[in-house]
Amino acid sequence: MACRISVISRHISSPPLEHLDDLGIRVAPEVRSALSSGVGVVALESTIVSHGMPYPQNFHTAQEVESIVRANGAVPATIAILDGVPCIGLSLAELERLAKLGTMVSKTARRDIPYVIARRGNGATTVSATMFFASKAGIKVFVTGGIGGVHRQGESTMDVSSDLTELGKTPVAVVCAGVKSILDIPRTLEYLETQGVTVVSYSTDEFPAFFTPNSGCKAPCRADSVEECADIIEASTKFGLSSGILIGVPIPAEHAAAAKNVESAIQSALHEAESRGIAGNSVTPFLLKRVNELTGGDSLAANIQLVKNNALVGAKIATALTTRLSRFTKSSCH
């Protein structure tokens, strides 16, 4: 007798991939096969490759992150725009090309997508653009380092990352180390609440602060296992909530940079950015680079470790989520 796919499994399963072909979005063979066969897929942004660190460190780190995803049962899908073509999943050669181009590649948020494509340019996707393309492909889990947020003095400058509005309207679970500590974390959490975003801390009551496990802000929700995280994503999907989910995974304590030193470096970098007139989407790359210099490399080392840890957790969540899809599909067969 034919299978009747349940409402839940229909919501969780990936949409047909033909519509991506029609849109001119290229899906890597490994990713296409995983999406078609129900294997967990983890989206990865590309700005961290082009703008996060120098070559060849960025290339090696990107390879290691993809390897961690595979080792934990899922398929990595690094997302970028190459020669005007949105790509979901990159070959090793494409990944190295992106790494070598570095900051010559356009940092691409949602608003920049039409411009980069129309000019047949190269774009490294930020959180918002990566979420957009991941959602188009039906990818439910996305791993990054940390998200953007409300900048310090944001109440005056109105400088709020598009990551937050994307989380409010795109149903993708973002696994990260919390909000970058160069930002205003309490106001960012308030903004996420306004956007209707479910915010979860992994195995802790405190929302993580990127370089360090502690922000001083209590998390709205807590999940103590990847299965609980998958349950939350499943429930959100089942009821058709159009907003995303933010899962904050604290950096392992042994890799955390000393909070006091990082905070001091952040304050110095903020004053320097202001005095030099650095604004807009140039602020975060400048601050991260300057903080790394001021901390003698400690912040970059912490950044790499937290991304790897996020990849491990994210891959396990994606695998747990697809296990639920398989269970629901089988239970609806007669």
Side-chain angles (χ1 to χ4, degrees), residues 13-37:
S13 59
S14 300
L17 297 177
E18 289 77 11
H19 80 292
L20 298 180
D21 299 332
D22 294 340
L23 291 171
I25 297 174
R26 198 205 70 196
V27 183
E30 181 187 21
V31 177
R32 183 179 292 268
S33 175
L35 290 171
S36 299
S37 58

Side-chain angles (χ1 to χ4, degrees), residues 131 147 163-170 172 174 188-200 220-221 242-247:
M131 286 183 71
I147 65 163
D163 296 356
L164 305 188
T165 49
E166 196 68 36
L167 276 159
K169 62 190 174 187
T170 303
V172 172
V174 180
T188 298
L189 291 172
E190 287 289 344
Y191 197 96
L192 287 168
E193 179 185 3
T194 302
Q195 291 291 311
V197 178
T198 301
V199 177
V200 181
C221 308
S242 59
S243 52
I245 296 170
L246 183 63
I247 302 174

Side-chain angles (χ1 to χ4, degrees), residues 4 71 76 89-90 106 114 123-124 155 181 199 208 216 223 229 239 291 302 326:
R4 294 201 302 271
L90 302 180
S106 298
E155 68 277 14
S181 50
V199 177
C229 292
F239 290 102
V291 168
S326 175

Side-chain angles (χ1 to χ4, degrees), residues 169-256:
K169 62 190 174 187
T170 303
V172 172
V174 180
V175 180
C176 67
V179 181
K180 296 182 178 76
S181 50
I182 58 176
L183 305 170
D184 188 324
I185 297 176
R187 283 192 171 90
T188 298
L189 291 172
E190 287 289 344
Y191 197 96
L192 287 168
E193 179 185 3
T194 302
Q195 291 291 311
V197 178
T198 301
V199 177
V200 181
S201 281
Y202 185 72
S203 298
T204 179
D205 291 320
E206 192 169 342
F207 191 72
F210 195 61
F211 292 123
T212 67
N214 308 111
S215 66
C217 300
K218 184 173 174 22
C221 308
R222 172 174 175 157
D224 287 312
S225 67
V226 294
E227 289 77 18
E228 286 184 27
C229 292
D231 288 341
I232 294 168
I233 299 169
E234 178 192 317
S236 179
T237 304
K238 173 184 175 180
F239 290 102
L241 294 176
S242 59
S243 52
I245 296 170
L246 183 63
I247 302 174
V249 181
I251 182 174
E254 64 271 22
H255 298 303

Side-chain angles (χ1 to χ4, degrees), residues 269-280:
L270 283 166
H271 289 309
E272 189 173 337
E274 184 178 0
S275 66
R276 292 173 59 176
I278 297 170

